[in-house]
Amino acid sequence: MSLLEGKAISVSVFGESHGAGIGAVAEGLPAGEPVDLSRMQALMARRAPGGALATARREADAVRVLSGLKDGVTTGAPLAVWIENGDTRSRDYEAFRRVPRPSHADYPALLRYGQATDLRGGGHFSGRLTAPLTAIGGICLELLERRGVTVGAHAFAVADVQDAPVDSEQLTPAQLMEVRGRELPVFDEAAGARMREEILAAKADGDSVGGVLELFALGLPGGLGDPMFAGVENRLAAALFGIPAVRGVEFGDGFSAARLRGSAHNDAYCQKGGRIGTKTNHHGGVIGGITTGEPLVVRMAVKPTPSIAMAQRTLDMATGEETVLSIQGRHDPCIALRAVPVMEAVAAIVLLDLMQHQQRETNGR
Amino acid sequence: MSLLEGKAISVSVFGESHGAGIGAVAEGLPAGEPVDLSRMQALMARRAPGGALATARREADAVRVLSGLKDGVTTGAPLAVWIENGDTRSRDYEAFRRVPRPSHADYPALLRYGQATDLRGGGHFSGRLTAPLTAIGGICLELLERRGVTVGAHAFAVADVQDAPVDSEQLTPAQLMEVRGRELPVFDEAAGARMREEILAAKADGDSVGGVLELFALGLPGGLGDPMFAGVENRLAAALFGIPAVRGVEFGDGFSAARLRGSAHNDAYCQKGGRIGTKTNHHGGVIGGITTGEPLVVRMAVKPTPSIAMAQRTLDMATGEETVLSIQGRHDPCIALRAVPVMEAVAAIVLLDLMQHQQRETNGR
Amino acid sequence: MSLLEGKAISVSVFGESHGAGIGAVAEGLPAGEPVDLSRMQALMARRAPGGALATARREADAVRVLSGLKDGVTTGAPLAVWIENGDTRSRDYEAFRRVPRPSHADYPALLRYGQATDLRGGGHFSGRLTAPLTAIGGICLELLERRGVTVGAHAFAVADVQDAPVDSEQLTPAQLMEVRGRELPVFDEAAGARMREEILAAKADGDSVGGVLELFALGLPGGLGDPMFAGVENRLAAALFGIPAVRGVEFGDGFSAARLRGSAHNDAYCQKGGRIGTKTNHHGGVIGGITTGEPLVVRMAVKPTPSIAMAQRTLDMATGEETVLSIQGRHDPCIALRAVPVMEAVAAIVLLDLMQHQQRETNGR
Amino acid sequence: MSLLEGKAISVSVFGESHGAGIGAVAEGLPAGEPVDLSRMQALMARRAPGGALATARREADAVRVLSGLKDGVTTGAPLAVWIENGDTRSRDYEAFRRVPRPSHADYPALLRYGQATDLRGGGHFSGRLTAPLTAIGGICLELLERRGVTVGAHAFAVADVQDAPVDSEQLTPAQLMEVRGRELPVFDEAAGARMREEILAAKADGDSVGGVLELFALGLPGGLGDPMFAGVENRLAAALFGIPAVRGVEFGDGFSAARLRGSAHNDAYCQKGGRIGTKTNHHGGVIGGITTGEPLVVRMAVKPTPSIAMAQRTLDMATGEETVLSIQGRHDPCIALRAVPVMEAVAAIVLLDLMQHQQRETNGR
């Protein structure tokens, strides 16, 4: 299902990479909210494909809002967006029914839907489907900022290069917004330069690299979420794994927490200005499914782009013989970088949903 | 919400650590399935607390099946289980309303539910709530085996000690069942001995350690799952983060995939006996939300037990002054180990749900 | 599925008529709400079976609260109730696998679940399953009253006898509470006497009669609900059809509205004290899925009890021959009357859910 | 929410009457199903507005399929439809913010969404939103026929005029398809003529009339559905109340059942060709939430069109004074007739969903 169901907000994504277009319907956005479409478009531009890593990005997809906005204000009715596909060349894709691309969804899609599945450009499995999701998330980011919440992600790592470690307790919204706006969103520009080298080296080899993205949400109130299966971690993880190529999701210290002793991992409570907080943030702002009021910290691992120009082995399913495949066309040498605004968008949808739900609960007491 | 909602099977968990008891209701289990309650009870025994790591485990909680079984066979009606709590001493817990335990849910629960929340023994946030979940999962494990699927987890790492790496492509159901039955479930017993040392050393210090668990599911058919938000990864992650203390979930190579190049991470398709498979399994049996037929590989990170006897700093919220807390009582020095059968149980619920759903889709074509 | 899913509150019902017992789990009740269990028990007593229509009712089922309450106050965690079954004689029910009772769920249950289905006393299809639902609804009724909403139902009709028509615009909470507390809940006691005669006449014949119940909710705020598929009508209808033997649900003028002209059916808006209201209430308090602030009016039709002592024809599925069946035992000659508190309970669950959801939306703007 | 959620198929409806257009996204349709768009368009034509009752109908809305179809076959990905709105004149609608139309959603929408709500042409509450729903339902009708199920509705009553009573046990698919194709879909053409007179008389008076629609589904397998809250009645009722102006839903004898004795209402089981059936069909093909294999019979009451040319009283909310409103423009004098294909479409979505779910359950045993 391509439906991201929240407690208050649900988003249904549709379309195919090489079909008529791609779109999404968001239900449950609050009514009466002004929406600045130029901000949504700016987020879309960050997701848009660029030629090389360093080249100027091309125009972002033009988003048409089909419903739910009147005079630039949400009406409370479902808000639908639509992006018409431009010219696409699909002639090569039918070959993948016979010779599936390694680590692509071609083969699982055939297992799941049979020959009726649309493999052109990846069909409904394409990373292109994140475009309408980014459009909806762009609106949610604006609504979150109106509620005092700033969301931003950076390239935590690309291949073996790590960005500078970030102390989430010291991070300001201004710093976060500055970094997320960079072409290569890192805190340490020297690390960014090395990442660039890694990417270009892989590209030169007809290969690709993976990366890890880290997202912060600042200003989230404490007490958001639910125990067990509807906690902040459950909902964010379920949504983030909806972004193609994501292989792992972790909160706070994440997998590193497993190596620590309790005395090193526990965060001491303390007074922080007028509120209660913690001195450190190993917990990443969420314990037992519920926010503490500290910065939310979540990371996701993005695998290397599976489409590579290098020759690789795979199977010709018609003959049953192994064969060699070299995937032509322009492919991102590091798909992780394009996922940065998508991660922000998806997290924004989930966090706005949690906040809308939270208001009910708090006020319901 | 303590409701794990599947497409076919939903599980609602209820109860508190120091209340009358704990239970769960499972809807949508198929009718006509014989259930061997001694196998469920054996899984419960693996979850039951033991004194030291090495001591004989105590009796598992006795599970009463309240509904949904007749003459040992599922009727198709909701199946409910109930575990009556024994004697509990709750007198100390009220103090945690004032002096919240670091990295526990005490403080978030107060933010979320106000003073009405039940903190005794962790209340509804307690790890004890995984007992009824394990009971339901035990039934699902049996139904999965009847369908040819074997699920088992091991301690991938405890503190800095790693178990031997497992080649999922070579793993047999018999090996998996043997390892998962061990008191300390590892493939490499020497690594297990070092894990034991780490745990006992931490315990001696009044401290605790974390760990990473790795689960395999063998025999899963290909084509299970859905794209985007209802894929195998989304559903398993959403469920696994429902286990207390889990901080990260990853599939296949997971976070390590981010460090690889595409040419190293891509898995070549090939003939495997009568079916199509892959030569390697970096993808962990699932691509784009859908299973490929290769072994499913998922890991989760478990933080060190937050309850430690060592003195630690925290806040007295009544006075606003920092104070020192030392948590008395018997606590698991490595909660990760007790989570092994829980991980199997939760994964079994999700995988059985996927298989029930899958049958519809396949037959619906 | 025996799961009533709301936006904020979900209720999972389990158990069988002749199994160990019956129960329910309610998720999402607000925290910090005092609950008077004697009021819940009083609603249960109204549902409890009596011998003849006129005889003193027997003891209601004793409800044990398993979780979610601490010191008589909701904790925010799932609230579970359990009613242990007493002695039951199930020996006769196996015959119904072979000779299904007309208009009972025996035959559909066999189609749905196969021979594994539990037919004893109706199994999970029994009207007895409304007991735990009534317990949960009893709590919701109390919470609704605390929020200024009074819910009550009366016997609108039994067989061909109608209660006095009620002008919902003039109805006071005190009147409603008085009527709903009567043994035979009618506004016109003379009509009640004639209903009693009809019921006793049917009983004397070994037969049964049906009835129509009408429920009012006074004090509901306007603006509750959603357009299209999650409106007040959709949610109430979906829930009320969960009560066994319900065959129709209508709002306001309901089916009678179809016979009116628009000029007669439209309700003129007007000032009403400090608020805007309507002069008449043909719309029953809800238009387009959303409440107007006028009294909510909903009716449901309950079929005559299918279990009758009179001989009736049916099929012996083993021989394929028609046969004659006479159902022994004590059966309600008018099951509709026992459904009155159940209707109130189910409506209360739905309306409390709507109000919890509503608070979010209003405050979210 | 404008989301119709099924077990296998979900439909999200979006758009406004006088916005850019209207659409819907259907998730979970089976893959590999050929779709004849001319049949969908024919159903759309039956829903399209005509001038007078008797005049030739205007062109139906042109449906553009945005996704989910490739070469006329479903791909398994979400199927989205879009209908661009033509020229609309919205200048008059702003007045309804101040002077709400009686029995319209204007006032409840203002309560729910505040001034941000879009009232132009009824906005998202407009009957026009049933057009994309009809498009999706048209596809489902075709898929149902491929599975041996025929769905059709007729005008059971308009104002006080009733169509001939239909014996569902004798009804053939051919008869049903013939009647549903008529401009005024009735079995008794003389009754149809009197209905026409009633409608034209109301129209001449600047007034409107209501009606009752009756739908049959022939060929449904027995054993579809679930007990309690996910039964056939619950799901159909929840969906049918999503059609604007519906005020009641009943199954089988419905409200009439309440007037019968059990001995008259019970349906005797018998042999029917090779299967087990019932001699009569008071139960309307469903007992306890589960189909019996007899024809499904469901009726819904549609209120008289609230928009009438006749002067009617309402409130000027700006001045607080009562005023007189006469609604200009072309309005259907009997909206019930246009709801006939919509009822078929909505029922088809629910029934196809049930059948997809059923296959899983049956095969899962």
Side-chain angles (χ1 to χ4, degrees):
Chain A
M1 301 274 282
S2 304
L3 179 67
L4 177 58
E5 275 198 85
K7 298 270 184 182
I9 299 169
S10 293
V11 180
S12 182
V13 180
F14 62 95
E16 293 92 21
S17 183
H18 287 202
I22 48 181
V25 184
E27 299 220 8
L29 292 176
E33 296 278 349
V35 171
D36 181 346
L37 291 177
S38 68
R39 293 190 53 182
M40 176 216 274
Q41 207 66 47
L43 191 71
M44 297 293 292
R46 289 175 52 208
R47 198 206 72 92
L53 169 76
T55 67
R57 294 186 181 277
R58 291 189 297 181
E59 279 304 295
D61 289 307
V63 178
R64 182 181 177 204
V65 177
L66 297 179
S67 68
L69 271 192
K70 182 161 170 279
D71 305 332
V73 174
T74 59
T75 64
L79 191 151
V81 295
W82 171 247
I83 299 164
E84 195 93 17
N85 284 336
D87 290 336
T88 51
R89 292 181 301 168
S90 304
R91 61 174 181 264
D92 301 334
Y93 286 93
E94 291 309 298
F96 301 140
R97 292 183 189 279
R98 180 172 162 173
V99 183
R101 290 170 290 177
S103 294
H104 261 279
D106 301 338
Y107 177 65
L110 285 164
L111 288 176
R112 178 70 174 75
Y113 298 114
Q115 288 296 333
T117 195
D118 180 358
L119 294 183
R120 298 170 299 164
H124 186 62
F125 289 83
S126 166
R128 182 155 169 70
L129 270 291
T130 59
L133 205 51
T134 302
I136 299 294
I139 295 174
C140 295
L141 280 168
E142 182 179 358
L143 271 62
L144 281 173
E145 285 182 25
R146 197 168 293 144
R147 287 153 175 77
V149 179
T150 305
V151 174
H154 72 120
F156 178 84
V158 165
D160 282 318
V161 184
Q162 298 235 354
D163 193 9
V166 178
D167 180 352
S168 60
E169 296 288 313
Q170 303 300 326
L171 186 63
T172 66
Q175 289 172 314
L176 187 55
M177 292 173 86
E178 188 198 334
V179 166
R180 82 174 182 198
R182 293 179 181 160
E183 192 221 338
L184 206 164
V186 285
F187 286 85
D188 174 356
E189 311 242 18
R194 290 197 304 278
M195 289 177 184
R196 198 180 310 264
E197 283 167 28
E198 287 286 339
I199 296 170
L200 293 175
K203 188 183 178 186
D205 294 344
D207 211 341
S208 62
V209 292
V212 175
L213 307 183
E214 183 174 55
L215 178 138
F216 304 96
L218 307 178
L220 271 185
L224 284 183
D226 280 288
M228 299 204 80
F229 302 111
V232 174
E233 301 97 325
N234 310 255
R235 297 191 213 178
L236 270 172
L240 293 173
F241 275 113
I243 303 173
V246 173
R247 305 307 291 158
V249 171
E250 62 179 8
F251 294 86
D253 283 5
F255 278 87
S256 303
R259 295 204 196 95
L260 296 180
R261 283 196 167 188
S263 55
H265 183 263
N266 285 356
D267 297 306
Y269 288 105
C270 62
Q271 288 283 2
K272 273 192 166 177
R275 70 174 181 88
I276 294 168
T278 57
K279 295 194 175 189
T280 48
N281 190 17
H282 297 285
H283 71 285
V286 58
I287 299 176
I290 298 180
T291 58
T292 60
E294 296 302 298
L296 183 78
V297 184
V298 54
R299 278 177 300 280
M300 68 182 203
V302 182
K303 71 180 183 188
T305 318
S307 292
I308 54 176
M310 277 176 69
Q312 53 183 331
R313 301 190 72 81
T314 185
L315 187 71
D316 182 329
M317 298 195 295
T319 64
E321 301 292 320
E322 295 188 18
T323 183
V324 169
L325 180 71
S326 172
I327 302 173
Q328 304 306 318
R330 298 201 322 171
H331 299 290
D332 288 277
C334 179
I335 198 77
L337 290 187
R338 288 190 57 203
V340 175
V342 181
M343 187 188 193
E344 292 168 4
V346 169
I349 294 170
V350 175
L351 294 175
L352 183 62
D353 177 58
L354 277 160
M355 288 190 75
Q356 295 291 108
H357 180 62
Q358 161 70 12
Q359 281 176 306
R360 175 197 50 179
E361 297 293 336
T362 302
N363 294 306
R365 273 207 300 279
Chain B
M1 302 276 281
S2 304
L3 181 66
L4 176 59
E5 275 198 88
K7 298 271 182 180
I9 298 169
S10 293
V11 180
S12 182
V13 179
F14 61 93
E16 294 92 21
S17 183
H18 286 201
I22 49 182
V25 184
E27 299 219 8
L29 292 177
E33 297 278 350
V35 171
D36 180 347
L37 292 177
S38 68
R39 293 188 54 182
M40 176 216 274
Q41 206 67 45
L43 191 72
M44 297 294 291
R46 289 174 52 207
R47 200 208 71 91
L53 168 75
T55 67
R57 293 187 183 276
R58 291 188 299 182
E59 279 304 294
D61 289 307
V63 178
R64 182 181 175 202
V65 176
L66 298 180
S67 68
L69 270 193
K70 180 160 170 280
D71 304 332
V73 175
T74 59
T75 63
L79 192 152
V81 295
W82 171 248
I83 300 164
E84 195 94 18
N85 284 335
D87 290 335
T88 50
R89 290 181 304 166
S90 304
R91 62 174 180 265
D92 300 335
Y93 286 92
E94 291 310 297
F96 302 139
R97 293 183 187 278
R98 179 170 164 174
V99 183
R101 290 170 291 177
S103 295
H104 261 280
D106 302 338
Y107 177 64
L110 286 164
L111 287 175
R112 178 70 174 78
Y113 298 114
Q115 288 297 331
T117 194
D118 180 358
L119 294 183
R120 298 169 302 163
H124 187 62
F125 289 82
S126 166
R128 185 157 167 68
L129 271 291
T130 60
L133 205 51
T134 302
I136 298 294
I139 294 174
C140 295
L141 281 168
E142 184 179 355
L143 271 63
L144 282 172
E145 286 181 25
R146 197 167 293 145
R147 287 154 175 76
V149 178
T150 306
V151 174
H154 72 120
F156 178 85
V158 165
D160 281 318
V161 184
Q162 298 234 353
D163 193 8
V166 178
D167 181 352
S168 60
E169 296 289 311
Q170 303 300 326
L171 186 63
T172 66
Q175 288 172 316
L176 187 55
M177 291 173 86
E178 187 199 333
V179 165
R180 84 176 181 196
R182 292 179 181 159
E183 192 220 339
L184 206 164
V186 286
F187 286 85
D188 175 355
E189 310 241 17
R194 290 198 304 281
M195 290 177 183
R196 198 180 309 264
E197 284 167 28
E198 286 287 339
I199 296 170
L200 292 175
K203 188 182 178 187
D205 294 345
D207 210 341
S208 63
V209 293
V212 175
L213 307 183
E214 182 175 53
L215 178 138
F216 304 95
L218 306 179
L220 271 184
L224 284 183
D226 281 287
M228 299 205 78
F229 302 111
V232 174
E233 301 97 324
N234 311 256
R235 296 192 215 178
L236 270 173
L240 293 173
F241 275 114
I243 303 173
V246 173
R247 305 307 290 156
V249 171
E250 62 180 8
F251 295 85
D253 282 5
F255 278 87
S256 303
R259 295 203 195 96
L260 295 180
R261 282 195 167 189
S263 56
H265 184 262
N266 286 357
D267 297 306
Y269 287 104
C270 62
Q271 289 282 2
K272 274 194 167 175
R275 68 174 182 90
I276 294 169
T278 57
K279 296 193 176 191
T280 47
N281 191 17
H282 297 285
H283 70 285
V286 59
I287 299 176
I290 298 180
T291 57
T292 60
E294 296 302 299
L296 183 78
V297 184
V298 54
R299 278 178 300 281
M300 68 181 203
V302 181
K303 72 181 184 187
T305 318
S307 292
I308 54 176
M310 277 177 68
Q312 55 183 330
R313 303 191 70 82
T314 185
L315 187 73
D316 181 329
M317 298 196 295
T319 63
E321 302 292 321
E322 294 187 19
T323 182
V324 170
L325 179 69
S326 173
I327 303 174
Q328 304 307 317
R330 298 201 322 172
H331 298 288
D332 286 276
C334 178
I335 198 77
L337 290 188
R338 288 189 56 202
V340 174
V342 181
M343 186 187 195
E344 292 169 4
V346 169
I349 295 170
V350 174
L351 294 176
L352 182 62
D353 178 57
L354 277 159
M355 288 191 74
Q356 295 291 109
H357 180 62
Q358 160 71 9
Q359 281 176 305
R360 176 197 51 183
E361 297 292 337
T362 301
N363 294 305
R365 272 207 300 280
Chain C
M1 302 276 281
S2 304
L3 181 66
L4 177 60
E5 275 199 86
K7 299 271 184 180
I9 299 169
S10 293
V11 180
S12 183
V13 180
F14 61 95
E16 294 93 19
S17 183
H18 287 201
I22 48 181
V25 183
E27 297 220 9
L29 292 177
E33 296 277 349
V35 170
D36 180 347
L37 291 178
S38 68
R39 292 190 54 183
M40 177 217 272
Q41 207 66 47
L43 190 72
M44 296 294 290
R46 288 175 54 207
R47 199 207 71 92
L53 168 76
T55 66
R57 293 185 183 277
R58 292 191 296 182
E59 278 305 295
D61 289 306
V63 178
R64 182 181 176 204
V65 177
L66 298 180
S67 68
L69 269 192
K70 180 161 171 278
D71 305 331
V73 175
T74 58
T75 63
L79 191 151
V81 294
W82 170 248
I83 300 165
E84 194 94 17
N85 283 336
D87 290 335
T88 51
R89 291 181 303 167
S90 303
R91 62 173 179 267
D92 300 335
Y93 285 92
E94 291 309 297
F96 301 141
R97 291 183 188 276
R98 178 172 165 173
V99 183
R101 290 170 291 176
S103 295
H104 260 280
D106 302 337
Y107 177 65
L110 285 165
L111 288 174
R112 178 71 173 75
Y113 298 113
Q115 288 297 332
T117 194
D118 180 358
L119 294 183
R120 297 170 300 163
H124 187 61
F125 289 83
S126 166
R128 184 157 168 68
L129 271 291
T130 59
L133 206 50
T134 302
I136 300 294
I139 295 174
C140 295
L141 281 168
E142 183 178 355
L143 271 61
L144 282 173
E145 286 181 25
R146 198 168 293 145
R147 287 153 175 76
V149 178
T150 306
V151 173
H154 72 119
F156 179 83
V158 166
D160 282 319
V161 184
Q162 299 235 354
D163 192 9
V166 178
D167 181 353
S168 61
E169 295 289 312
Q170 303 299 326
L171 186 64
T172 65
Q175 288 172 316
L176 187 56
M177 292 173 85
E178 188 198 335
V179 165
R180 83 174 182 196
R182 292 179 182 160
E183 191 220 340
L184 205 162
V186 286
F187 285 86
D188 175 354
E189 309 241 17
R194 290 199 303 281
M195 289 177 183
R196 196 179 310 262
E197 284 168 27
E198 286 286 340
I199 296 170
L200 293 175
K203 187 183 179 187
D205 294 344
D207 211 341
S208 64
V209 293
V212 175
L213 307 183
E214 183 175 55
L215 178 139
F216 304 97
L218 307 178
L220 271 185
L224 285 183
D226 281 289
M228 299 206 78
F229 301 112
V232 175
E233 301 98 324
N234 311 256
R235 296 192 215 178
L236 270 172
L240 293 173
F241 275 113
I243 304 173
V246 172
R247 304 307 291 158
V249 171
E250 61 179 11
F251 294 85
D253 283 6
F255 278 86
S256 303
R259 296 205 193 95
L260 295 180
R261 283 193 164 189
S263 56
H265 184 262
N266 285 356
D267 297 306
Y269 287 105
C270 63
Q271 288 282 2
K272 273 191 164 178
R275 70 175 181 90
I276 293 169
T278 57
K279 294 193 175 189
T280 48
N281 191 16
H282 297 286
H283 71 284
V286 59
I287 299 175
I290 298 180
T291 58
T292 60
E294 297 301 299
L296 182 79
V297 184
V298 54
R299 277 178 299 282
M300 70 180 200
V302 182
K303 73 180 181 187
T305 318
S307 292
I308 54 176
M310 277 177 69
Q312 55 182 330
R313 303 190 70 82
T314 186
L315 187 72
D316 182 327
M317 298 195 295
T319 64
E321 302 292 318
E322 295 188 17
T323 184
V324 169
L325 180 70
S326 174
I327 303 173
Q328 304 305 318
R330 296 201 325 171
H331 298 289
D332 287 277
C334 179
I335 197 78
L337 290 187
R338 288 189 56 203
V340 174
V342 181
M343 187 186 195
E344 293 168 5
V346 170
I349 295 169
V350 175
L351 294 175
L352 182 63
D353 177 57
L354 277 159
M355 288 190 75
Q356 295 291 110
H357 181 61
Q358 160 71 11
Q359 281 176 308
R360 174 198 49 179
E361 296 292 337
T362 302
N363 294 308
R365 274 205 301 280
Chain D
M1 302 275 282
S2 303
L3 180 68
L4 177 58
E5 275 199 86
K7 297 270 183 180
I9 300 169
S10 294
V11 181
S12 182
V13 180
F14 62 94
E16 294 93 21
S17 182
H18 286 202
I22 49 183
V25 184
E27 299 219 8
L29 292 176
E33 296 276 350
V35 171
D36 181 347
L37 291 177
S38 68
R39 293 190 55 182
M40 178 217 270
Q41 206 67 45
L43 191 73
M44 297 294 291
R46 288 174 54 206
R47 200 207 70 92
L53 167 76
T55 67
R57 293 184 184 277
R58 293 188 297 182
E59 279 304 294
D61 289 307
V63 178
R64 182 181 177 203
V65 177
L66 298 180
S67 68
L69 271 192
K70 179 158 171 283
D71 305 331
V73 174
T74 58
T75 63
L79 192 152
V81 295
W82 171 248
I83 300 164
E84 194 94 18
N85 284 336
D87 290 338
T88 50
R89 293 181 302 167
S90 303
R91 62 173 181 266
D92 301 335
Y93 285 92
E94 291 308 298
F96 301 141
R97 291 184 188 278
R98 178 171 164 175
V99 183
R101 290 170 292 176
S103 294
H104 261 281
D106 301 337
Y107 177 65
L110 286 164
L111 288 175
R112 179 69 174 77
Y113 298 113
Q115 288 297 331
T117 195
D118 180 358
L119 294 183
R120 299 169 300 163
H124 186 63
F125 289 84
S126 167
R128 184 158 167 68
L129 270 291
T130 60
L133 205 50
T134 302
I136 299 294
I139 294 173
C140 295
L141 281 167
E142 184 179 356
L143 271 62
L144 282 173
E145 287 182 25
R146 196 167 294 146
R147 287 154 175 76
V149 179
T150 307
V151 174
H154 72 119
F156 178 84
V158 165
D160 282 318
V161 184
Q162 298 234 353
D163 192 8
V166 178
D167 181 353
S168 60
E169 295 289 311
Q170 303 299 327
L171 186 63
T172 67
Q175 288 172 315
L176 187 56
M177 291 174 87
E178 188 199 333
V179 165
R180 83 175 182 194
R182 292 179 180 160
E183 191 221 338
L184 204 162
V186 286
F187 286 84
D188 175 356
E189 309 242 17
R194 291 198 303 281
M195 289 177 183
R196 199 179 308 265
E197 284 168 28
E198 287 286 340
I199 296 169
L200 294 175
K203 188 183 180 188
D205 294 345
D207 211 342
S208 63
V209 293
V212 175
L213 308 183
E214 183 175 54
L215 179 137
F216 304 96
L218 306 178
L220 272 185
L224 285 182
D226 282 288
M228 298 204 80
F229 301 112
V232 175
E233 302 98 323
N234 311 255
R235 297 191 214 178
L236 271 173
L240 293 172
F241 275 113
I243 304 173
V246 172
R247 305 305 291 155
V249 171
E250 61 179 10
F251 295 84
D253 283 5
F255 278 87
S256 303
R259 295 203 194 95
L260 295 180
R261 282 194 166 188
S263 56
H265 183 263
N266 285 358
D267 297 305
Y269 287 105
C270 62
Q271 288 283 2
K272 274 191 166 178
R275 70 174 182 89
I276 293 169
T278 56
K279 296 195 174 189
T280 49
N281 191 15
H282 297 286
H283 72 284
V286 58
I287 299 176
I290 298 179
T291 57
T292 60
E294 298 300 301
L296 183 78
V297 185
V298 53
R299 279 178 298 281
M300 69 180 202
V302 182
K303 72 181 183 185
T305 318
S307 292
I308 54 176
M310 278 177 67
Q312 54 181 330
R313 304 190 70 83
T314 186
L315 187 73
D316 183 328
M317 297 195 297
T319 64
E321 301 292 318
E322 294 186 18
T323 183
V324 169
L325 179 70
S326 174
I327 302 172
Q328 304 305 318
R330 295 200 327 170
H331 298 289
D332 286 276
C334 178
I335 197 77
L337 290 188
R338 288 189 57 203
V340 174
V342 181
M343 186 187 195
E344 292 168 3
V346 170
I349 295 169
V350 174
L351 294 176
L352 182 63
D353 176 59
L354 277 159
M355 288 190 74
Q356 295 291 108
H357 180 63
Q358 160 70 13
Q359 281 175 306
R360 175 198 49 180
E361 297 292 338
T362 301
N363 294 308
R365 272 207 301 281

